[in-house]
Amino acid sequence: MELWIPITIAAAFLQNLRSAAQKHLKSVMGTTGATFVRFGFGVPFALAFLAALHWLLDYPLPALNARFLGWAVLGGVCQITATFLLIHLFSFRNFAVGTAYSRTEPAQAALFGLAFLGEAPSPGVLVAIAISVLGVMLISVAHVAVGLRSMVTSTFSRTALVGLASGTIFGVSAVSYRAASLSLGGPNFAMQAAVTLAFVITFQTLVMLAWMAWKDRSEMLRVARAWKLSLFTGFVGATASFGWFAAMTLQQAAAVKALAQIEMLFTFAATIFFFKERINRLEVAGCALIVGGILVLLAVR
């Protein structure tokens, strides 16, 4: 098995934990604060990963270059922007369609990977992406009166366009992170991922701190009061991000993001076994398609 596969699966599992923690934090602080903790409380762990690789494993630090800085800053800004757009979807009454379209990120990452890096995914990878994206879209609209036909005809609605914009910018972010990590040129994928993560998460923390200082300083106090859960969120978030960056250093961003749809299966496992909730037929069909897409992806690798 190629190394990027178990790394991606582990990252998806940790991201699921981070999302659950952020959902809880949302009840004690605002959206900005709940978004900030994944960056601000992740910085110490990102720096610890980098220090461990350098001091304990004796990996040399790669020299930063202009190409790295450009791609890393672009990826960091795009990730923040896409996250805010995704959160903005919840202000719409019929946000399900928009959320579904935001999940087209793997397909859009394939397009941007081809445009920016000249990386053309194989036909098998494209089929896997299409299957898994359709599965996620089915899950996204499973509890509303929306069919596939109405999803297509409503592509140009405001909600759908916001969702598409979110998926597009997430796609740019993923490809940017891969380009930044590859631009370091060594010494190995782990150190390249650690350096990229440390730079990006520090940059994002400074941007969000400046935003909160300007817009809502009281949010900083709410974040400080919830420091215990925030620290856990930062740890699993930084560890998941290290996994994403490592996987995308080893493999095309589109393939990594397609396999990352397995996160939805972790979410449904928690829904069924821990929260004892029932899922409907569309959700079952969506899960089956995600599994099918992942199996196709693994078969063609």
Side-chain angles (χ1 to χ4, degrees), residues 99-100 103-104 106 127-142 148 151 258 261-262 264-265 268 280-294:
T99 304
R103 296 290 188 171
T104 60
V127 170
I129 289 172
I131 294 172
S132 62
V133 166
L134 178 59
V136 174
M137 293 176 76
L138 280 179
I139 291 171
S140 298
V141 298
L148 291 177
M151 286 176 64
Q261 305 284 30
I262 197 173
M264 297 295 293
L265 302 185
F268 274 99
N280 62 30
R281 292 180 179 179
L282 271 182
E283 289 170 318
V284 172
C287 287
L289 284 171
I290 292 173
V291 172
I294 290 171

Short mmCIF file of all heavy atoms in Angstrom, two decimals, residues 99-100 103-104 106 127-142 148 151 258 261-262 264-265 268 280-294:
data_model
loop_
_atom_site.label_atom_id
_atom_site.label_comp_id
_atom_site.label_asym_id
_atom_site.label_seq_id
_atom_site.Cartn_x
_atom_site.Cartn_y
_atom_site.Cartn_z
N THR A 99 -24.07 23.51 0.25
CA THR A 99 -23.12 22.64 0.92
C THR A 99 -22.71 21.49 0.01
O THR A 99 -21.53 21.11 -0.04
CB THR A 99 -23.73 22.08 2.22
OG1 THR A 99 -24.13 23.17 3.05
CG2 THR A 99 -22.72 21.23 2.98
N ALA A 100 -23.69 20.94 -0.72
CA ALA A 100 -23.39 19.85 -1.65
C ALA A 100 -22.39 20.30 -2.71
O ALA A 100 -21.42 19.60 -3.01
CB ALA A 100 -24.67 19.36 -2.32
N ARG A 103 -18.77 20.53 -1.80
CA ARG A 103 -18.08 19.25 -1.70
C ARG A 103 -17.48 18.80 -3.03
O ARG A 103 -16.96 17.68 -3.14
CB ARG A 103 -19.05 18.17 -1.20
CG ARG A 103 -19.57 18.41 0.20
CD ARG A 103 -18.49 18.21 1.24
NE ARG A 103 -19.03 18.27 2.60
CZ ARG A 103 -18.34 17.97 3.68
NH1 ARG A 103 -17.07 17.63 3.57
NH2 ARG A 103 -18.89 18.05 4.87
N THR A 104 -17.58 19.64 -4.05
CA THR A 104 -16.95 19.32 -5.34
C THR A 104 -15.45 19.63 -5.31
O THR A 104 -14.79 19.60 -6.35
CB THR A 104 -17.61 20.10 -6.48
OG1 THR A 104 -17.47 21.52 -6.23
CG2 THR A 104 -19.10 19.77 -6.59
N PRO A 106 -12.70 17.96 -4.57
CA PRO A 106 -11.74 17.07 -5.24
C PRO A 106 -11.70 17.26 -6.75
O PRO A 106 -10.63 17.26 -7.36
CB PRO A 106 -12.24 15.67 -4.86
CG PRO A 106 -13.01 15.86 -3.60
CD PRO A 106 -13.66 17.20 -3.75
N VAL A 127 -12.77 9.02 -12.49
CA VAL A 127 -13.99 8.24 -12.23
C VAL A 127 -14.22 8.13 -10.73
O VAL A 127 -15.34 8.30 -10.23
CB VAL A 127 -13.89 6.84 -12.87
CG1 VAL A 127 -15.04 5.95 -12.39
CG2 VAL A 127 -13.91 6.95 -14.39
N ALA A 128 -13.16 7.85 -9.97
CA ALA A 128 -13.27 7.73 -8.52
C ALA A 128 -13.74 9.04 -7.90
O ALA A 128 -14.59 9.05 -7.00
CB ALA A 128 -11.91 7.32 -7.92
N ILE A 129 -13.20 10.16 -8.38
CA ILE A 129 -13.60 11.48 -7.88
C ILE A 129 -15.08 11.71 -8.15
O ILE A 129 -15.83 12.15 -7.27
CB ILE A 129 -12.75 12.59 -8.54
CG1 ILE A 129 -11.32 12.54 -8.01
CG2 ILE A 129 -13.36 13.97 -8.27
CD1 ILE A 129 -10.38 13.48 -8.74
N ALA A 130 -15.52 11.41 -9.37
CA ALA A 130 -16.92 11.63 -9.74
C ALA A 130 -17.87 10.82 -8.87
O ALA A 130 -18.90 11.32 -8.40
CB ALA A 130 -17.13 11.28 -11.22
N ILE A 131 -17.52 9.55 -8.62
CA ILE A 131 -18.38 8.68 -7.81
C ILE A 131 -18.47 9.19 -6.38
O ILE A 131 -19.56 9.29 -5.80
CB ILE A 131 -17.85 7.23 -7.84
CG1 ILE A 131 -17.97 6.65 -9.25
CG2 ILE A 131 -18.63 6.36 -6.85
CD1 ILE A 131 -17.29 5.28 -9.40
N SER A 132 -17.32 9.52 -5.78
CA SER A 132 -17.32 9.94 -4.38
C SER A 132 -17.98 11.30 -4.21
O SER A 132 -18.70 11.53 -3.22
CB SER A 132 -15.89 9.98 -3.84
OG SER A 132 -15.09 10.91 -4.55
N VAL A 133 -17.78 12.21 -5.16
CA VAL A 133 -18.41 13.53 -5.08
C VAL A 133 -19.93 13.40 -5.16
O VAL A 133 -20.67 14.04 -4.41
CB VAL A 133 -17.89 14.47 -6.18
CG1 VAL A 133 -18.77 15.70 -6.32
CG2 VAL A 133 -16.46 14.90 -5.88
N LEU A 134 -20.42 12.54 -6.05
CA LEU A 134 -21.86 12.31 -6.15
C LEU A 134 -22.40 11.76 -4.83
O LEU A 134 -23.48 12.15 -4.37
CB LEU A 134 -22.16 11.34 -7.29
CG LEU A 134 -23.64 10.97 -7.48
CD1 LEU A 134 -24.49 12.22 -7.73
CD2 LEU A 134 -23.79 9.97 -8.64
N GLY A 135 -21.65 10.85 -4.21
CA GLY A 135 -22.08 10.29 -2.93
C GLY A 135 -22.20 11.35 -1.85
O GLY A 135 -23.19 11.39 -1.11
N VAL A 136 -21.22 12.24 -1.77
CA VAL A 136 -21.25 13.30 -0.76
C VAL A 136 -22.41 14.26 -1.04
O VAL A 136 -23.08 14.73 -0.12
CB VAL A 136 -19.91 14.06 -0.72
CG1 VAL A 136 -20.00 15.26 0.21
CG2 VAL A 136 -18.81 13.13 -0.26
N MET A 137 -22.66 14.56 -2.31
CA MET A 137 -23.76 15.46 -2.66
C MET A 137 -25.11 14.85 -2.28
O MET A 137 -26.01 15.56 -1.81
CB MET A 137 -23.71 15.80 -4.15
CG MET A 137 -22.49 16.64 -4.54
SD MET A 137 -22.37 16.96 -6.32
CE MET A 137 -23.63 18.22 -6.51
N LEU A 138 -25.26 13.55 -2.46
CA LEU A 138 -26.50 12.88 -2.05
C LEU A 138 -26.71 13.01 -0.54
O LEU A 138 -27.82 13.30 -0.08
CB LEU A 138 -26.47 11.40 -2.44
CG LEU A 138 -26.77 11.04 -3.89
CD1 LEU A 138 -26.65 9.54 -4.09
CD2 LEU A 138 -28.16 11.52 -4.30
N ILE A 139 -25.65 12.80 0.21
CA ILE A 139 -25.75 12.91 1.67
C ILE A 139 -26.12 14.33 2.07
O ILE A 139 -26.93 14.54 2.99
CB ILE A 139 -24.42 12.49 2.32
CG1 ILE A 139 -24.21 10.98 2.14
CG2 ILE A 139 -24.40 12.84 3.81
CD1 ILE A 139 -22.83 10.50 2.55
N SER A 140 -25.55 15.31 1.39
CA SER A 140 -25.78 16.71 1.74
C SER A 140 -27.23 17.13 1.59
O SER A 140 -27.69 18.04 2.29
CB SER A 140 -24.89 17.62 0.88
OG SER A 140 -23.52 17.35 1.11
N VAL A 141 -27.97 16.49 0.68
CA VAL A 141 -29.37 16.89 0.44
C VAL A 141 -30.34 15.81 0.90
O VAL A 141 -31.51 15.84 0.55
CB VAL A 141 -29.59 17.19 -1.06
CG1 VAL A 141 -28.72 18.35 -1.51
CG2 VAL A 141 -29.34 15.96 -1.92
N ALA A 142 -29.86 14.88 1.73
CA ALA A 142 -30.68 13.73 2.11
C ALA A 142 -31.91 14.10 2.93
O ALA A 142 -32.91 13.38 2.92
CB ALA A 142 -29.84 12.71 2.87
N LEU A 148 -31.80 15.33 -7.70
CA LEU A 148 -30.66 15.59 -8.56
C LEU A 148 -30.99 16.61 -9.65
O LEU A 148 -30.19 17.46 -10.00
CB LEU A 148 -30.17 14.28 -9.19
CG LEU A 148 -29.51 13.28 -8.24
CD1 LEU A 148 -29.15 12.01 -8.99
CD2 LEU A 148 -28.27 13.89 -7.61
N MET A 151 -31.05 20.04 -8.25
CA MET A 151 -29.70 20.48 -7.93
C MET A 151 -29.00 21.02 -9.17
O MET A 151 -28.28 22.02 -9.12
CB MET A 151 -28.89 19.33 -7.33
CG MET A 151 -29.27 18.99 -5.91
SD MET A 151 -28.37 17.55 -5.30
CE MET A 151 -26.70 18.18 -5.34
N ALA A 258 -10.03 13.11 -2.83
CA ALA A 258 -11.04 12.09 -3.14
C ALA A 258 -11.08 11.03 -2.05
O ALA A 258 -12.16 10.64 -1.57
CB ALA A 258 -10.75 11.45 -4.49
N GLN A 261 -12.80 11.85 1.35
CA GLN A 261 -14.25 11.77 1.53
C GLN A 261 -14.63 10.66 2.51
O GLN A 261 -15.76 10.60 2.98
CB GLN A 261 -14.95 11.51 0.18
CG GLN A 261 -14.63 12.51 -0.92
CD GLN A 261 -15.35 13.84 -0.75
OE1 GLN A 261 -15.63 14.26 0.37
NE2 GLN A 261 -15.63 14.51 -1.85
N ILE A 262 -13.67 9.82 2.85
CA ILE A 262 -13.92 8.77 3.85
C ILE A 262 -14.30 9.37 5.19
O ILE A 262 -14.89 8.69 6.05
CB ILE A 262 -12.68 7.86 3.99
CG1 ILE A 262 -13.04 6.54 4.66
CG2 ILE A 262 -11.56 8.57 4.75
CD1 ILE A 262 -11.90 5.53 4.67
N MET A 264 -16.67 11.28 5.75
CA MET A 264 -18.13 11.19 5.87
C MET A 264 -18.53 9.85 6.47
O MET A 264 -19.50 9.76 7.23
CB MET A 264 -18.78 11.37 4.50
CG MET A 264 -18.56 12.72 3.86
SD MET A 264 -19.31 14.09 4.78
CE MET A 264 -21.05 13.73 4.56
N LEU A 265 -17.79 8.80 6.16
CA LEU A 265 -18.10 7.48 6.72
C LEU A 265 -17.82 7.45 8.22
O LEU A 265 -18.57 6.84 8.99
CB LEU A 265 -17.28 6.40 6.01
CG LEU A 265 -17.46 6.30 4.49
CD1 LEU A 265 -16.67 5.11 3.95
CD2 LEU A 265 -18.94 6.17 4.13
N PHE A 268 -20.74 9.18 9.88
CA PHE A 268 -21.94 8.35 9.98
C PHE A 268 -21.77 7.20 10.95
O PHE A 268 -22.73 6.78 11.60
CB PHE A 268 -22.34 7.83 8.59
CG PHE A 268 -23.18 8.79 7.83
CD1 PHE A 268 -22.63 9.62 6.88
CD2 PHE A 268 -24.53 8.92 8.10
CE1 PHE A 268 -23.39 10.54 6.19
CE2 PHE A 268 -25.32 9.83 7.43
CZ PHE A 268 -24.74 10.65 6.47
N ASN A 280 -31.28 7.79 6.47
CA ASN A 280 -32.27 7.41 5.46
C ASN A 280 -31.62 6.79 4.23
O ASN A 280 -30.40 6.63 4.15
CB ASN A 280 -33.14 8.62 5.08
CG ASN A 280 -32.33 9.74 4.46
OD1 ASN A 280 -31.31 9.50 3.81
ND2 ASN A 280 -32.79 10.97 4.65
N ARG A 281 -32.46 6.48 3.24
CA ARG A 281 -31.96 5.74 2.07
C ARG A 281 -30.96 6.54 1.25
O ARG A 281 -30.00 5.99 0.73
CB ARG A 281 -33.15 5.33 1.20
CG ARG A 281 -34.05 4.29 1.84
CD ARG A 281 -35.21 3.93 0.93
NE ARG A 281 -36.09 2.91 1.53
CZ ARG A 281 -37.18 2.44 0.96
NH1 ARG A 281 -37.55 2.90 -0.25
NH2 ARG A 281 -37.90 1.52 1.56
N LEU A 282 -31.20 7.84 1.12
CA LEU A 282 -30.27 8.66 0.36
C LEU A 282 -28.90 8.68 1.02
O LEU A 282 -27.86 8.64 0.35
CB LEU A 282 -30.79 10.09 0.22
CG LEU A 282 -31.69 10.41 -0.98
CD1 LEU A 282 -32.07 11.89 -0.99
CD2 LEU A 282 -31.00 10.03 -2.29
N GLU A 283 -28.88 8.73 2.34
CA GLU A 283 -27.62 8.72 3.07
C GLU A 283 -26.90 7.39 2.90
O GLU A 283 -25.68 7.34 2.74
CB GLU A 283 -27.85 9.03 4.55
CG GLU A 283 -28.25 10.48 4.79
CD GLU A 283 -28.71 10.72 6.22
OE1 GLU A 283 -29.46 9.87 6.75
OE2 GLU A 283 -28.33 11.75 6.80
N VAL A 284 -27.67 6.30 2.93
CA VAL A 284 -27.08 4.98 2.70
C VAL A 284 -26.50 4.90 1.29
O VAL A 284 -25.38 4.41 1.08
CB VAL A 284 -28.13 3.87 2.91
CG1 VAL A 284 -27.57 2.51 2.48
CG2 VAL A 284 -28.57 3.82 4.37
N ALA A 285 -27.27 5.40 0.32
CA ALA A 285 -26.79 5.41 -1.07
C ALA A 285 -25.54 6.26 -1.21
O ALA A 285 -24.59 5.88 -1.91
CB ALA A 285 -27.89 5.92 -2.00
N GLY A 286 -25.54 7.41 -0.54
CA GLY A 286 -24.37 8.28 -0.59
C GLY A 286 -23.15 7.61 -0.01
O GLY A 286 -22.05 7.68 -0.57
N CYS A 287 -23.31 6.93 1.13
CA CYS A 287 -22.19 6.21 1.75
C CYS A 287 -21.67 5.11 0.82
O CYS A 287 -20.46 4.91 0.70
CB CYS A 287 -22.63 5.60 3.08
SG CYS A 287 -22.87 6.80 4.41
N ALA A 288 -22.60 4.40 0.17
CA ALA A 288 -22.21 3.34 -0.74
C ALA A 288 -21.40 3.89 -1.91
O ALA A 288 -20.40 3.29 -2.34
CB ALA A 288 -23.45 2.61 -1.26
N LEU A 289 -21.81 5.05 -2.42
CA LEU A 289 -21.07 5.67 -3.52
C LEU A 289 -19.69 6.13 -3.07
O LEU A 289 -18.70 6.01 -3.83
CB LEU A 289 -21.86 6.85 -4.08
CG LEU A 289 -23.06 6.50 -4.96
CD1 LEU A 289 -23.89 7.74 -5.27
CD2 LEU A 289 -22.59 5.84 -6.26
N ILE A 290 -19.59 6.67 -1.86
CA ILE A 290 -18.28 7.08 -1.35
C ILE A 290 -17.36 5.87 -1.24
O ILE A 290 -16.19 5.92 -1.66
CB ILE A 290 -18.42 7.76 0.02
CG1 ILE A 290 -19.13 9.12 -0.13
CG2 ILE A 290 -17.05 7.97 0.67
CD1 ILE A 290 -19.45 9.78 1.18
N VAL A 291 -17.88 4.78 -0.70
CA VAL A 291 -17.09 3.55 -0.60
C VAL A 291 -16.67 3.08 -1.99
O VAL A 291 -15.52 2.71 -2.23
CB VAL A 291 -17.87 2.46 0.14
CG1 VAL A 291 -17.13 1.12 0.06
CG2 VAL A 291 -18.09 2.83 1.60
N GLY A 292 -17.63 3.12 -2.93
CA GLY A 292 -17.33 2.71 -4.30
C GLY A 292 -16.24 3.57 -4.92
O GLY A 292 -15.33 3.06 -5.57
N GLY A 293 -16.33 4.88 -4.71
CA GLY A 293 -15.33 5.78 -5.25
C GLY A 293 -13.95 5.52 -4.66
O GLY A 293 -12.94 5.53 -5.37
N ILE A 294 -13.92 5.24 -3.36
CA ILE A 294 -12.64 4.95 -2.70
C ILE A 294 -12.05 3.64 -3.23
O ILE A 294 -10.84 3.54 -3.48
CB ILE A 294 -12.84 4.89 -1.17
CG1 ILE A 294 -13.12 6.30 -0.63
CG2 ILE A 294 -11.62 4.29 -0.48
CD1 ILE A 294 -13.53 6.32 0.82
#
